[in-house]
């Protein structure tokens, strides 16, 4: 009695000390002045409580992730993701836990720093535990061996944990020799590093392995040795393992059913405290089994707990056990139809849970990851491996053929699509070319018609009206010689003769502008020189004409007339709209290319080029149409107050 009171008192004191430490660590989080200090405080709190009650971890994990992202702290971020992986694994939220594992891989990828490599090892080890919990021993072994390689290179004490995981997988696969090999390695590593928690866990795992092979004496001895270490640790996970091991020992070796049931109930209470659904399922399974054998009244409620918990967390093995227990209980109650229904459901689920293929695949994982330490067992599996590899190669060959065919079809489709688009582009270009030719033909017809009409009018004016006016002048001059006039009438008559002369000159000037005879007789260069000189002599504006290489150039008459009209229009615009004082006209022909460059510059008031799109006059439109007719290029530079410069290039 005194010993019991002492133990209870000691237990109370330990819990009080732990609670005080937890309060202090939570206070450190609240008092942290910077994000980096807060991340450190969050990690310290969760690390201390990792092996105890983790029910309040979620908000701390999310806060650590948020702060680490904000300060770009890779170690803090990867550590928070690992804590999330462990937390959600313990809660049975395996899909969410795997997402956190993927996040660790992304954060640590390519980082060779020791602390980041260590975190990668922790991720593999925790993810291996997750796969083990859902009976995926192939992926569990794969991750455990990855973790072991990293921790061995870093000489890290977590090697003990990975060896334990490997041993557990081999034990599940009934490979007892390999299981004992890795269990003993785990105990040795934990002892070398002086890690009491790891030592206790691994000793209890080794005891469990001995019990699985009916070596209960060694198991009992190990549990007696490990109890002081477990009591010293005072964490729920260690207590769970210890009482679960005692339950197995009492039920299988000492055959004390009531003691076994009490030990399993203790282990279940610690699994509840730690919110580890996998541990809860393991303990509840045995509790129900012995409650049924002892005919406890509360067994139905425990079966309900197991079934709901297993269904909620996708623990199919526990759900199968619950279905079997329902069948047994309803059968004992005389509800045979319900018992049969549950038995049928149990059988269907059990048939789908296990297969020999899992063991074969896991053995292949041992071959891939432990090539350096092959033994006789692996040699025997090589034949099966070769057959599997041959099947894989055949499947791969078929996949390559199908993939190749798909790629060929895809390539043909792409080529066909490009060919179709090219044809469309070619047809559109052809349409555009025909449209341009059509417009040029229309422009050419208009310009030629215009020039023909100008020529006809100029000829009519010069030969018809000009001849008539000259005849009238001659007749009036003859009449004057035969008439006697007063001085006033004589002066009036002379003024009329002068006006008639002016009319004849103006008529000839108009006719000359419409179709300058000099252009037809002497060519473009001479016609432009005379046109510029005539405007310059008028004293309205100073026009300077310069030409290079155009004197001997043979320019087609239609082209000459069009260029003449362009320059004529540009000069008229400079005089009429820009009020220019000086105009420069330059023509230059380059020898080999036969390219004519025309420059017309003035010092007028200039204008905003954007106004051309809204201009109502036809002057600029006529210029543009004529340049297009010649298939030339035009470049206009003008600003208000800075004059205007027009550059035109035409191939002749």
């Amino acid at each position: 009695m005194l010993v019991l009171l002492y133990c209870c008192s000691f237990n109370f004191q330990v819990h009080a000390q732990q609670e005080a430490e937890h309060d202090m660590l939570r206070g450190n989080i609240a008092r942290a002045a910077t994000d980096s200090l807060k991340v450190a405080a969050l990690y310290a709190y969760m690390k201390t409580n990792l092996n105890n009650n983790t029910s309040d971890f979620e908000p701390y994990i999310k806060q650590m992730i948020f702060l680490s992202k904000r300060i770009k702290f890779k170690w803090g971020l990867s550590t928070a993701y690992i804590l999330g992986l462990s937390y959600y694994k313990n809660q049975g939220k395996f899909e969410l836990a795997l997402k956190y594992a993927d996040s660790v891989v992304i954060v640590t990828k390519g980082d060779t720093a020791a602390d980041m490599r260590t975190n990668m090892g922790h991720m593999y080890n925790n993810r291996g535990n997750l796969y083990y919990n859902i009976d995926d021993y192939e992926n569990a072994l794969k991750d455990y061996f990855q973790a072991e390689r990293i921790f061995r290179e870093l000489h890290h004490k977590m090697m003990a944990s990975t060896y334990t995981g490997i041993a557990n997988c081999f034990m599940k696969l009934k490979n007892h020799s390999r299981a004992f090999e890795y269990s003993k390695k785990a105990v040795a590593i934990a002892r070398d590093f002086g890690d009491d928690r790891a030592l206790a866990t691994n000793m209890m795992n080794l005891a469990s392995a001995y019990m699985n092979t009916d070596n209960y004496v060694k198991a009992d001895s190990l549990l007696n040795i490990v109890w002081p270490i477990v009591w010293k640790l005072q964490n729920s996970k260690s207590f769970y393992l210890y009482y679960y091991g005692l339950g197995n020992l009492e039920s299988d070796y000492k055959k004390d059913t009531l003691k076994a049931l009490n030990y399993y109930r203790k282990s279940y209470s610690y699994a509840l405290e730690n919110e580890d659904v996998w541990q809860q399922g393991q303990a509840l399974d045995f509790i129900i089994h012995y409650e049924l054998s002892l005919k406890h009244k509360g067994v139905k409620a425990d079966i309900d707990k197991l079934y709901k918990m297993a269904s909620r967390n996708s623990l199919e093995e526990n759900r199968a056990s619950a279905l079997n227990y329902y069948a047994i209980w309803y059968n004992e109650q005389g509800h045979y139809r319900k018992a049969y229904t549950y038995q049928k459901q149990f059988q269907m689920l059990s048939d789908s849970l296990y297969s020999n293929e899992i063991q074969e695949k896991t053995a292949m994982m041992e071959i891939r990851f432990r090539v350096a330490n092959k033994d006789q067992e692996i040699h025997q599996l090589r034949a099966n491996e070769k057959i599997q590899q041959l099947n894989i190669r055949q499947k791969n060959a078929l996949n390559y053929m199908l993939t190749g065919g798909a790629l060929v079809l895809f390539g043909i489709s792409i080529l066909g699509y490009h060919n179709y688009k090219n044809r469309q582009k070619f047809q559109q270009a052809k349409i555009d070319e025909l449209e341009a030719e059509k417009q040029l033909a229309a422009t050419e017809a208009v310009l030629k018609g215009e020039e023909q009409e100008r020529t006809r009018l100029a000829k009519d004016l010069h030969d018809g009206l000009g001849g008539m006016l000259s005849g009238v002048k001659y007749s009036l001059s003859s009449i004057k010689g035969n008439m006697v006039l007063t001085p006033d009438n004589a002066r009036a008559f002379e003024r009329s003769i002068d006006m008639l002369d002016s009319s004849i000159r103006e008529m000839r000037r108009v006719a000359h502008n419409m179709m300058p005879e000099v252009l037809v007789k002497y060519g473009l260069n001479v016609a432009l020189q005379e046109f510029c000189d005539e405007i310059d002599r008028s004293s309205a504006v100073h026009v300077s004409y310069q030409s290079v290489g155009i004197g001997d150039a043979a320019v087609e008459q239609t082209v000459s007339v069009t260029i003449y009209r362009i320059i004529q229009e540009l000069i008229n615009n400079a005089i009429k709209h820009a009020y220019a004082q000086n105009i420069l006209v330059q023509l230059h022909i380059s020898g080999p290319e036969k390219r004519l460059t025309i420059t017309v510059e003035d010092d007028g008031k200039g204008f905003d080029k954007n106004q051309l799109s809204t201009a109502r006059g036809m002057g600029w439109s006529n210029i543009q149409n004529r340049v297009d007719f010649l298939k030339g290029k035009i470049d206009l530079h003008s600003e208000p107050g800075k004059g205007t410069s027009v550059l035109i290039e035409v191939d002749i």
Side-chain angles (χ1 to χ4, degrees), residues 211-457:
M211 280 188 275
N212 287 335
T213 56
D214 298 331
N215 195 340
Y216 296 106
V217 175
K218 282 191 176 181
D220 193 10
S221 174
L222 273 174
L223 289 177
N224 287 328
I225 294 170
V226 82
W227 168 245
I229 305 173
V230 172
W231 180 256
K232 176 183 174 183
L233 290 171
Q234 287 292 309
N235 69 70
S236 57
K237 282 190 175 181
S238 296
F239 279 129
Y240 164 81
L241 289 174
Y242 179 75
Y243 285 115
Y244 185 79
L246 282 181
N248 290 339
L249 190 67
E250 290 293 338
S251 64
D252 296 336
Y253 177 49
K254 299 181 180 180
K255 306 300 182 180
D256 190 333
T257 304
L258 189 57
K259 270 191 176 182
L261 178 59
N262 289 331
Y263 284 136
Y264 286 133
R265 282 174 173 169
K266 280 189 176 183
S267 68
Y268 177 65
S269 67
Y270 284 111
L272 284 174
E273 182 180 328
N274 199 42
E275 294 189 350
D276 190 321
V277 294
W278 186 79
Q279 291 179 353
Q280 292 169 29
Q282 294 293 102
L284 261 179
D285 199 319
F286 281 106
I287 290 169
I288 296 167
H289 173 76
Y290 288 110
E291 284 179 340
L292 282 170
S293 67
L294 295 171
K295 301 191 181 302
H296 273 246
K297 292 182 179 180
V299 65
K300 174 64 165 53
D302 285 335
I303 298 173
D304 291 338
K305 285 181 188 177
L306 180 62
Y307 184 79
K308 289 177 182 178
M309 185 273 296
S311 300
R312 186 169 56 248
N313 297 288
S314 301
L315 299 175
E316 294 299 282
E317 188 175 347
N318 291 134
R319 190 164 72 90
S321 293
L323 291 170
N324 185 44
Y325 291 140
Y326 275 131
I328 295 170
W329 187 82
Y330 278 114
N331 184 66
E332 290 177 350
Q333 302 302 312
H335 301 298
Y336 303 116
R337 182 171 294 179
K338 279 190 174 183
Y340 174 73
T341 301
Y342 280 111
Q343 182 62 31
K344 190 175 180 180
Q345 291 179 16
F346 162 72
Q347 194 62 49
M348 290 176 62
L349 182 56
S350 296
D351 289 344
S352 66
L353 283 177
Y354 300 105
S355 69
N356 292 330
E357 184 180 358
I358 294 176
Q359 295 187 14
E360 293 172 0
K361 286 184 178 179
T362 310
M364 303 308 289
M365 291 302 301
E366 169 70 352
I367 292 173
R368 284 197 292 270
F369 286 95
R370 309 303 291 174
V371 175
N373 298 314
K374 293 177 184 175
D375 56 13
Q376 188 61 34
E377 179 188 347
I378 296 175
H379 283 297
Q380 288 216 298
L381 292 172
R382 272 192 173 172
N384 293 335
E385 181 186 11
K386 288 179 180 178
I387 293 171
Q388 186 175 357
Q389 287 177 346
L390 179 60
N391 290 334
I392 291 171
R393 281 199 293 270
Q394 289 175 343
K395 290 179 182 178
N396 286 342
L398 180 60
N399 289 336
Y400 291 149
M401 291 173 64
L402 293 174
T403 304
L407 289 174
V408 169
L409 288 175
F410 180 72
I412 292 172
S413 301
I414 292 295
L415 290 174
Y417 176 74
H418 280 299
N419 189 32
Y420 168 72
K421 295 298 289 184
N422 288 335
R423 282 203 306 272
Q424 276 194 327
K425 289 179 181 179
F426 177 76
Q427 290 173 355
Q428 187 60 46
K430 196 70 177 175
I431 292 169
D432 293 342
E433 184 180 350
L434 291 173
E435 287 287 343
E437 289 179 358
K438 181 180 177 181
Q439 291 179 0
L440 287 174
T443 303
E444 181 178 4
V446 170
L447 292 176
K448 284 185 176 180
E450 182 181 308
E451 293 303 328
Q452 289 173 358
E453 186 63 17
R454 283 174 177 270
T455 302
R456 187 186 66 78
L457 289 173

Side-chain angles (χ1 to χ4, degrees), residues 525-591:
N525 187 45
V526 176
L528 287 173
Q529 181 70 64
E530 184 177 323
F531 175 68
C532 292
D533 290 345
E534 184 179 349
I535 295 176
D536 188 63
R537 284 194 296 271
S538 69
S539 300
V541 62
H542 175 63
V543 180
S544 175
Y545 175 76
Q546 301 172 1
S547 65
V548 178
I550 197 172
D552 300 327
V555 184
E556 187 184 346
Q557 185 172 344
T558 303
V559 176
S560 297
V561 172
T562 304
I563 293 171
Y564 183 86
R565 295 301 181 202
I566 291 171
I567 295 174
Q568 190 179 43
E569 188 70 41
L570 288 171
I571 292 175
N572 287 338
N573 286 343
I575 296 172
K576 181 179 178 181
H577 300 294
Y579 306 107
Q581 298 298 315
N582 297 282
I583 301 173
L584 172 64
V585 180
Q586 292 180 325
L587 270 73
H588 175 264
I589 291 183
S590 57

Side-chain angles (χ1 to χ4, degrees), residues 470-482 493 497 500:
S470 296
V472 171
K473 178 184 175 184
Y474 178 75
S475 297
L476 289 174
S477 298
S478 299
I479 291 171
K480 178 184 176 185
N482 298 324
F493 195 85
I497 295 295
L500 187 57

